[in-house]
């Protein structure tokens, strides 16, 4: 089976298991910049914690302008539970200022433009072009890197950009964004980092790192002797 065929099977199997491929970060669809902020805050933090923090943050600052003019210390205080709060607060204000000054108050729609915003890397940029603009995207977060490696789609590669480059030619661009969302759900449920539940895994038949077939135990010399011969 080629990598492309294996990828197509993984896409189909996870699509069936998780029909809803939604981003777990909560944001207002009318305010797409909120997803850029939430994704920045999610680095080294759980989506659940980010959602608690952004509830307060987005209520306190309800527009791009409000964020651009926000008091740094105040934003730091609110985003503190997400960790790395000084840098995250600075990036939050900086990215909103940049969207206002360089992009006419809009969220850019290309990866190349998005990564010019403070604190925005390829992971965030891919998420935005996929979720906001419905363009092909590949979000190489920890789940994507781990599971695609185990499946043998990106063998031996862990650097996010290289994983993205390896997946792009083998994933259906129409499905790639949703597939990455489903990998997050699957990575939490089944193919966890420390204890993958291979025995109950729907991807087991196509997985390169699934459990090896059980070896039949060689009978010992003693076991070969029929009871009546002993
Ligand atoms: Fe992960 Fe195991 Fe499933 Fe492979 S068989 S995808 S390692 S849970």
């Amino acid at each position: 089976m080629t990598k492309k065929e294996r990828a197509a099977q993984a896409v189909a199997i996870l699509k069936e298991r998780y029909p809803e491929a939604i981003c777990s970060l909560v944001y207002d669809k009318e305010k797409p910049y909120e997803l850029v902020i939430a994704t920045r805050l999610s680095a080294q933090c759980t989506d659940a914690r980010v959602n608690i923090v952004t509830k307060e943050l987005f209520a306190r600052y309800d527009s791009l302008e409000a964020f651009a003019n926000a008091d740094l210390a105040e934003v730091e205080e609110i985003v503190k539970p997400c960790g790395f709060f000084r840098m995250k607060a600075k990036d939050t204000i900086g990215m909103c200022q940049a969207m206002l000054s360089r992009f006419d108050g809009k969220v850019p729609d290309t990866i190349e433009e998005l990564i010019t915003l403070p604190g925005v890397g390829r992971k965030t940029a891919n998420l935005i072009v996929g979720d906001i603009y419905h363009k092909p995207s590949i979000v190489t977060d920890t789940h994507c890197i781990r599971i695609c490696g185990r499946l043998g789609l990106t063998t031996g590669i862990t650097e996010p950009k290289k994983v993205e480059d390896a997946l792009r030619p083998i994933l259906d661009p129409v499905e790639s964004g949703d597939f990455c969302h489903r990998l997050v759900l699957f990575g939490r449920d089944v193919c966890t980092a420390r204890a993958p539940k291979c025995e109950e895994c729907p991807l087991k038949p196509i997985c390169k790192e699934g459990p090896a077939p059980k070896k039949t135990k060689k009978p010992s010399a003693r076991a070969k002797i029929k009871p009546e011969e002993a």
Side-chain angles (χ1 to χ4, degrees):
M1 193 189 295
T2 65
K3 284 186 179 180
K4 205 166 183 173
E5 288 165 344
R6 195 175 311 122
Q9 285 208 20
V11 165
I13 292 167
L14 291 191
K15 196 171 183 175
E16 196 178 327
R17 184 175 178 115
Y18 305 104
E20 293 278 311
I22 45 164
C23 175
S24 46
L25 293 169
V26 176
Y27 68 103
D28 182 345
K29 301 271 186 300
E30 302 296 314
K31 297 175 181 172
Y33 66 83
E34 287 189 352
L35 183 59
V36 189
I37 294 172
T39 311
R40 172 65 188 103
L41 296 179
S42 73
Q44 312 286 319
C45 183
T46 63
D47 290 355
R49 186 177 295 272
V50 171
N51 287 338
I52 294 170
V53 167
T54 52
K55 198 172 178 192
E56 181 185 351
L57 188 68
F58 295 156
R60 173 72 185 82
Y61 305 100
D62 63 358
S63 68
L64 207 50
E65 289 77 8
F67 270 111
N69 295 309
D71 177 69
L72 179 61
E74 199 176 299
V75 176
E76 282 178 356
E77 196 53 38
I78 299 173
V79 304
K80 212 171 200 170
C82 296
F84 304 98
F85 66 96
R86 291 196 200 287
M87 189 52 79
K88 287 182 179 180
K90 191 165 168 258
D91 287 343
T92 296
I93 296 173
M95 65 173 64
C96 292
Q97 289 171 340
M99 282 189 265
L100 277 173
S101 63
R102 290 196 279 121
F103 297 103
D104 202 21
K106 302 221 166 47
V107 175
D109 64 354
T110 66
I111 291 175
E112 291 68 30
E113 287 175 321
L114 279 158
I115 59 175
T116 68
L117 299 175
V120 174
R122 292 194 69 84
K123 188 185 105 176
T124 302
N126 266 283
L127 185 82
I128 300 302
V129 296
D131 279 34
I132 304 290
Y133 296 110
H134 312 293
K135 293 182 177 182
S137 66
I138 296 176
V139 180
T140 50
D141 65 0
T142 180
H143 298 288
C144 173
I145 293 170
R146 180 180 71 254
I147 299 166
C148 289
R150 286 174 176 173
L151 289 174
L153 302 177
T154 56
T155 320
I157 313 172
T158 52
E159 204 263 297
K161 174 67 168 70
K162 288 185 181 163
V163 172
E164 185 186 326
D165 291 342
L167 289 176
R168 210 169 281 283
I170 61 170
L171 277 178
D172 177 351
V174 175
E175 298 287 349
S176 60
D178 284 349
F179 178 61
C180 292
H181 281 317
R182 292 181 174 116
L183 285 177
V184 175
L185 302 173
F186 182 66
R188 288 176 185 155
D189 273 1
V190 182
C191 192
T192 58
R194 294 198 179 164
K197 299 171 188 148
C198 300
E199 291 304 333
E200 61 184 70
C201 175
L203 299 184
K204 191 166 68 169
I206 58 164
C207 183
K208 290 273 185 189
E209 256 191 49
K214 284 194 180 85
K215 285 180 188 159
T216 37
K217 219 176 167 186
K218 268 190 180 173
S220 67
R222 187 175 167 76
K224 279 180 190 164
I225 302 170
K226 288 181 184 165
E228 60 269 28
E229 292 169 345

